[in-house]
Amino acid sequence: MTASRIDPGTFASVVVSAYADGTADQALPADDMLARSLLPPGTAAGRDFSELAPRIPEFVSERCVGCMACVSACPDAAILAVAQPESTLGLAVEAFAEEAETDAGQLREHFVTTTKYATVPQKRGLEPAEFGIFVDPANCKGCAECV
């Protein structure tokens, strides 16, 4: 079995689990593809990095201007951004909080009023929006590129 010829599910169940339980050296055959760290595409989808990051970036609302530099800098797509119209923000936060079984007040703290998404659209006669940033701990490796 070579890493380049197996599907992501098999890779996760055979290769990743062998490394996780410490038997990879004895249980897995030598493989040129694995030795060169060539992994089949799509294998990262099933991994959870929430135990890996030493610290998850903290959202500092007073400093956020909605530039999305942190989103662009994240090499793992672990930072999610959304601009939500003010008229629907409360309902959207409540619905998501219920679905995710989390505190709506804590979610609301991740939204800020920015010039880019609130003031400028309002000057153009559009509804202002609140800008929100969220970090997905399952994908964040704690590299601090976003800081």
Side-chain angles (χ1 to χ4, degrees), residues 49-140:
F49 296 106
S50 57
E51 303 279 326
L52 180 68
R55 287 183 25 187
I56 300 292
E58 182 181 331
F59 177 65
V60 182
S61 60
E62 305 84 51
R63 299 189 64 194
C64 182
V65 296
C67 67
M68 294 190 35
C70 57
V71 176
S72 299
C74 181
D76 300 304
I79 302 174
L80 311 169
V82 63
Q84 185 72 34
E86 287 181 351
S87 64
T88 61
L89 180 62
L91 293 173
V93 167
E94 290 293 331
F96 184 79
E98 185 176 318
E99 183 180 323
E101 298 177 3
T102 190
D103 179 41
Q106 187 178 20
L107 285 175
R108 182 62 182 92
E109 291 174 6
H110 284 263
F111 283 91
V112 295
T113 302
T114 64
T115 301
K116 183 177 182 177
Y117 295 102
T119 310
V120 171
Q122 194 170 28
K123 285 181 181 179
R124 293 182 178 161
L126 302 170
E127 181 178 6
E130 295 280 312
F131 180 72
I133 290 284
F134 300 88
V135 178
D136 181 359
N139 290 323
C140 180

Side-chain angles (χ1 to χ4, degrees), residues 24-39:
D25 288 343
Q26 296 82 26
L28 297 177
D31 184 317
D32 288 341
M33 302 307 267
L34 288 176
R36 290 184 288 167
S37 296
L38 298 175
L39 306 176

Side-chain angles (χ1 to χ4, degrees), residues 2-8 11-12 34 37-44 47:
T2 63
S4 62
R5 294 193 179 103
I6 61 174
D7 64 274
F11 181 83
L34 288 176
S37 296
L38 298 175
L39 306 176
T43 56
R47 290 191 259 170

